[in-house]
Amino acid sequence: MGDKINVAMEVIRSSDALRQRLAGFSTAGRKIGFVPTMGALHKGHISLIKHALGENDVVVASIFVNPTQFNDPKDFDRYPVSTENDIRMLDEAGCTLLFLPAPDEVYPPDAPKPVVPDLGKLDRVMEGQFRPGHFSGVAMVLERFFSLVQPHQAYFGEKDYQQLMVVKHLAALRFPDLTIRPVPTMREKDGLAMSSRNLLLTPEDRRNASFIPAFLHTLPNEMATKTPAELKATASQYFANHGIQLEYLEFADGVTLQPIHSWNDSSDPRAFIAAYAGKVRLIDNVSLNPKE
Ligand code: PAF
């Protein structure tokens, strides 16, 4: 198992041991960067680690497939696990410490579950609507991890843009000394956003999935002649023609995440997509802000 692999990076499995180790870093005045993950790591995660290494003295990563954020138990069961490979990747990237807890370490059976604050309207749209309870689960696990690790900065990919906004909101309410750092989406050569779920795609679904970024790429041009409603009206058929089942296409403000009905409704419009390539649910988003 993980801790028997011969790597320089420390691998810690218990919350108590983690607390003790991190107290040492704090006493020494070290700046702590934190990269929480659910494992099945790819270059997108390594980019988070590299950003964190550039801006902190110590980088703590966690791998924990958080059951409370999966609204579909089958999705949880299918979630890819590749812990030994993950440990090697983190070590090679220069990560200082990996927290690799069992579920009871994160949610001790005798302790009350962390209470999730009101997430405003951020969790009522898009992913919040199609994956009820998902963001409460994310907030619950991060509440626990942020309290344990007490990082100065924590790193989140823009691929999960709505999650990034929810986490910023959580941090502002509960962890005012923590800075949330966004990191740009890493993409494959054909534009597909890197995701652990890509590992689950069949070769045919993988080919079809490249239509998602291709479609997003066309939007800046399309905006010149079409309204958000017009684009949404034709999108499902367009995706179906490319073997992809669109769950939603939404246009929303990049800060409030509330839907926009005209391009003038927001100075920072973004497009958001959730779609199925075969059985695999993929999400992606891009900024439609001409200044970016
Ligand atoms: O983005 C993820 O991998 C997860 O949602 C996170 C932030 C690690 C919480 O479980």
Side-chain angles (χ1 to χ4, degrees):
M1 274 306 284
D3 49 1
K4 299 208 181 94
I5 297 176
N6 191 12
V7 290
M9 176 180 70
E10 278 183 78
V11 180
I12 294 185
R13 289 170 183 269
S14 97
S15 302
D16 286 343
L18 181 69
R19 233 182 254 109
Q20 270 179 25
R21 186 69 187 99
L22 293 176
F25 290 137
S26 294
T27 314
R30 299 281 168 84
K31 192 166 180 184
I32 299 175
F34 179 44
V35 180
T37 81
M38 298 207 297
L41 302 185
H42 49 72
K43 283 186 196 150
H45 295 108
I46 297 310
S47 162
L48 300 178
I49 299 285
K50 296 279 183 200
H51 275 79
L53 280 166
E55 298 173 351
N56 301 277
D57 304 313
V58 166
V59 174
V60 177
S62 62
I63 295 180
F64 179 62
V65 185
N66 172 34
T68 64
Q69 72 187 72
F70 286 83
N71 54 317
D72 175 358
K74 279 194 241 117
D75 190 24
F76 176 67
D77 292 342
R78 264 202 306 259
Y79 201 82
V81 174
S82 54
T83 311
E84 295 204 355
N85 191 44
D86 294 348
I87 292 176
R88 288 204 180 87
M89 283 174 77
L90 289 171
D91 183 54
E92 269 170 38
C95 182
T96 323
L97 191 160
L98 169 64
F99 182 44
L100 186 60
D104 282 2
E105 287 293 326
V106 180
Y107 300 120
D110 48 351
K113 287 236 161 86
V115 179
V116 174
D118 182 8
L119 299 171
K121 290 186 183 161
L122 294 174
D123 68 336
R124 298 197 202 139
V125 290
M126 300 187 285
E127 291 303 279
Q129 210 177 326
F130 286 89
R131 299 184 68 191
H134 169 64
F135 287 121
S136 305
V138 170
M140 199 182 281
V141 80
L142 290 178
E143 174 92 32
R144 176 88 174 119
F145 283 162
F146 290 161
S147 305
L148 254 174
V149 178
Q150 300 195 8
H152 297 88
Q153 314 199 78
Y155 293 77
F156 291 85
E158 285 182 348
K159 197 212 129 230
D160 296 307
Y161 190 88
Q162 189 173 5
Q163 168 172 280
L164 170 66
M165 289 297 145
V166 166
V167 176
K168 277 191 172 174
H169 182 76
L170 173 75
L173 287 176
R174 294 278 175 91
F175 304 92
D177 296 334
L178 168 61
T179 306
I180 302 299
R181 296 291 217 184
V183 176
T185 304
M186 293 281 286
R187 295 183 179 277
E188 303 289 352
K189 280 205 185 88
D190 63 355
L192 183 67
M194 290 189 184
S195 164
S196 306
R197 288 170 198 271
N198 294 354
L199 290 171
L200 303 173
L201 292 166
T202 64
E204 189 189 352
D205 295 334
R206 171 65 188 83
R207 276 193 299 278
N208 290 339
S210 66
F211 183 65
I212 299 171
F215 176 85
L216 289 170
H217 194 67
T218 64
L219 289 174
N221 272 341
E222 296 285 328
M223 285 166 73
T225 54
K226 295 194 180 105
T227 64
E230 282 166 348
L231 285 169
K232 279 157 81 167
T234 51
S236 291
Q237 187 56 52
Y238 208 24
F239 273 79
N241 295 345
H242 290 83
I244 299 287
Q245 192 196 335
L246 184 66
E247 187 165 67
Y248 64 77
L249 163 67
E250 190 56 278
F251 298 101
D253 179 75
V255 177
T256 66
L257 301 185
Q258 298 314 295
I260 56 172
H261 305 290
S262 136
W263 304 120
N264 296 329
D265 285 353
S266 168
S267 56
D268 185 18
R270 284 191 96 88
F272 296 83
I273 281 179
Y276 282 89
K279 292 200 173 89
V280 183
R281 188 175 184 277
L282 301 171
I283 59 172
D284 200 353
N285 72 92
V286 289
S287 169
L288 300 175
N289 186 345
K291 290 191 202 118
E292 272 195 25

